[in-house]
Amino acid sequence: MRIRWPRSLIARILLLEGAAILFAMVFIPLLTASVLQQTKAVYQERLLIAQAQDIAAEVTSTASAPGRVLLPPALEALYAGTYDGRAFAIVNAAGHAVTYSPHANGVPWDAVRRGRSEESFRRGSYVVVSVPARIADMTWWILVSQDETRPGAITDDITRGFLTRYLALLLPILLLLPLVNSVLIALLVRTVRKVSDHAAAIGPRSLHVRLADAGLPTEVRPLVHATNSLIERLEQSFTAQSEFVGNVVHELRTPLATLRIRLDAVSDDALRATLLAQVDRVSHVVSQLHDLARADVIEEEDLVAIDLVAVARDTLTDSAPMIAASGHPVTLDVPAAPVLVRGNRVLLSIALSNFISNAVRHTPSGTPIAIAVDPRGTVSVTDRGPGVTVMDRSLLTQRFWRADHRRSDSAGIGLSIVQRIVALHDGCLNISDGPVGGTRFAMVIPLARQ
């Protein structure tokens, strides 16, 4: 079974840290014990050499008994007491012990080298040093041993005591590290998530907002700066696009108005009607481009509490000439009390105008159109036309799309403008079948906070 590397940064850090802790729990005590043992051996050897040198300084050789070495009574009594693991022997050049302590029988003296300088030797639990000494013009070797199993081996006791306390301190620290690091990483991730939430909240209405890098680690700040640069470029792009569309609309309106006036001079009625219809279509596209440009630059402060009932009435009044010319009977059903929503009056009027225009243009003349406002913030336009046959109705809000795959007189951007306006208001667009046939277009706008 293949083990996958976790995707979470915290999980990766804790996994690696856990492996490091297990490694440390096993090898740090072993390494520490090895270092302590080596250090203990050095100091123990130095201590035994110092004891041998002390013995060499205290012993005397009597002239009446050549080859005999005597210890002062105090020093001899020190080694003659209760056996604590220390013993000594004084050996001549022939390797015979001429003097030794009472507890020196089990010490492997014969295995110790007798050289011109200090020598050390280990066998079993014994540590033995050999120190040459010149006494009464003769060379003797002072051999001092320590049985590490006896109470006198205090360095072993110190080593064991240190390791016990060291491990008792080390293990809790190692086990506490993941908890401490988890808290620190969680705090860091929470800071990064706050910045991420701020970035997710930035939209076309808030492209002026920039991400703050306060409290973020140095490694994350370049990403924040790059994101801010991207947002700045998007803001510049939106502004340039809006200005371009506005300039195009401004430049086209005057020639279209002039062209319409000159078409009145065409004597052929059929040709004049055809040309005027084409001019009207172009004018409608230009108007929609203007509406689209306005929707793309809306900002948060442009959304205020407005009465949706008043918007519906004013929009219907503005559309009255177009509706009258088409021969569609229109009804308006609104509640008696105002319906306050949070939005932009001009943009909501543009969206409702697109609903009405769509119903007028795509239903037979004379079929009724119903406009309604719901107290919950819904405004709808229902027609009695042929209805929508496409299965995926989300395609209706895509720019330049038609069910018959042909370009329309509105360039296919009418409902996409509505979709854009509704999204800017944090609302939703619903397209469904009418109760008695036809199609119902509705937009739901959040109510304003009281």
Side-chain angles (χ1 to χ4, degrees):
M1 180 178 179
R2 184 179 179 182
I3 300 177
R4 294 186 177 181
W5 187 248
R7 300 180 62 182
S8 169
L9 175 62
I10 296 179
R12 292 183 181 184
I13 293 176
L14 293 181
L15 180 61
L16 292 175
E17 190 172 68
I21 289 174
L22 291 176
F23 179 85
M25 292 175 65
V26 174
F27 288 98
I28 287 182
L30 294 177
L31 179 61
T32 303
S34 176
V35 172
L36 285 176
Q37 290 292 342
Q38 294 177 7
T39 304
K40 180 205 74 171
V42 171
Y43 278 95
Q44 189 175 54
E45 182 179 336
R46 291 178 181 177
L47 177 61
L48 295 178
I49 291 175
Q51 292 177 3
Q53 291 173 345
D54 290 341
I55 294 174
E58 294 292 338
V59 299
T60 61
S61 178
T62 63
S64 59
R68 291 293 303 272
V69 177
L70 301 177
L71 269 68
L75 186 61
E76 189 171 0
L78 178 65
Y79 284 90
T82 303
Y83 181 53
D84 60 358
R86 292 181 296 176
F88 78 91
I90 300 178
V91 181
N92 58 20
H96 301 294
V98 296
T99 300
Y100 49 86
S101 61
H103 306 289
N105 296 329
V107 181
W109 305 114
D110 56 338
V112 181
R113 292 178 57 186
R114 298 184 300 279
R116 296 182 179 180
S117 60
E118 295 89 349
E119 299 281 348
S120 64
F121 173 78
R122 288 177 176 269
R123 173 171 290 182
S125 62
Y126 290 96
V127 178
V128 186
V129 297
S130 171
V131 177
R134 191 74 177 173
I135 305 172
D137 297 330
M138 295 184 63
T139 301
W140 308 82
W141 282 267
I142 314 299
L143 308 181
V144 179
S145 69
Q146 174 67 59
D147 185 355
E148 294 185 330
T149 63
R150 306 299 295 182
I154 59 173
T155 53
D156 280 346
D157 297 335
I158 294 174
T159 301
R160 285 191 293 268
F162 173 79
L163 285 177
T164 301
R165 290 170 174 77
Y166 176 72
L167 293 178
L169 181 64
L170 176 64
L171 294 181
I173 292 177
L174 291 177
L175 295 177
L176 187 62
L177 279 177
L179 177 61
V180 174
N181 288 341
S182 297
V183 174
L184 294 177
I185 294 172
L187 293 176
L188 172 62
V189 171
R190 185 173 66 178
T191 304
V192 174
R193 282 179 177 172
K194 286 183 179 180
V195 177
S196 177
D197 292 340
H198 291 164
I202 296 177
R205 291 179 298 175
S206 55
L207 287 176
H208 60 282
V209 177
R210 297 295 181 268
L211 302 179
D213 60 1
L216 289 176
T218 305
E219 294 79 4
V220 181
R221 290 186 178 183
L223 179 60
V224 174
H225 297 162
T227 303
N228 284 336
S229 298
L230 174 60
I231 296 173
E232 184 175 357
R233 293 194 297 271
L234 286 175
E235 183 182 21
Q236 294 173 354
S237 176
F238 267 74
T239 302
Q241 176 182 322
S242 177
E243 291 177 352
F244 173 75
V245 174
N247 292 334
V248 170
V249 170
H250 178 73
E251 293 296 329
L252 288 177
R253 279 182 171 175
T254 300
L256 287 174
T258 302
L259 179 61
R260 184 177 181 83
I261 293 174
R262 292 192 175 185
L263 286 178
D264 291 336
V266 176
S267 58
D268 189 332
D269 294 339
L271 177 61
R272 183 173 63 254
T274 301
L275 294 176
L276 286 174
Q278 294 297 329
V279 171
D280 289 341
R281 291 177 181 178
V282 175
S283 298
H284 184 63
V285 171
V286 170
S287 296
Q288 287 192 323
L289 288 174
H290 179 260
D291 295 341
L292 185 62
R294 296 188 64 175
D296 283 339
V297 296
I298 189 69
E299 295 183 358
E300 190 70 26
E301 56 267 20
D302 296 324
L303 302 180
V304 296
I306 60 174
D307 182 9
L308 198 57
V309 173
V311 171
R313 286 173 174 166
D314 294 343
T315 304
L316 180 58
T317 300
D318 294 339
S319 304
M322 175 188 64
I323 297 174
S326 65
H328 289 78
V330 177
T331 60
L332 177 62
D333 183 14
V334 297
V339 179
L340 297 180
V341 297
R342 180 176 174 274
N344 181 275
R345 187 182 188 90
V346 175
L347 292 183
L348 290 180
S349 178
I350 291 174
L352 183 55
S353 296
N354 272 280
F355 278 167
I356 296 174
S357 176
N358 188 70
V360 168
R361 291 173 178 272
H362 297 91
T363 58
S365 178
T367 56
I369 298 175
I371 304 173
V373 176
D374 188 276
R376 293 169 294 182
T378 302
V379 57
S380 62
V381 175
T382 305
D383 60 50
R384 298 285 184 86
V388 178
T389 58
V390 61
M391 296 300 294
D392 188 359
R393 297 184 177 182
S394 64
L395 295 174
L396 296 175
T397 60
Q398 294 184 8
R399 298 179 185 179
F400 312 117
W401 188 91
R402 288 193 65 196
D404 55 7
H405 302 287
R406 291 183 292 110
R407 294 289 294 271
S408 69
D409 57 345
S410 60
I413 61 176
L415 289 178
S416 68
I417 294 175
V418 177
Q419 176 68 55
R420 176 69 179 142
I421 292 174
V422 170
L424 289 172
H425 287 77
D426 297 324
C428 61
L429 173 63
N430 296 323
I431 303 175
S432 59
D433 295 332
V436 290
T439 309
R440 179 179 181 269
F441 295 88
M443 56 180 176
V444 183
I445 308 300
L447 297 175
R449 295 181 179 178
Q450 301 297 327

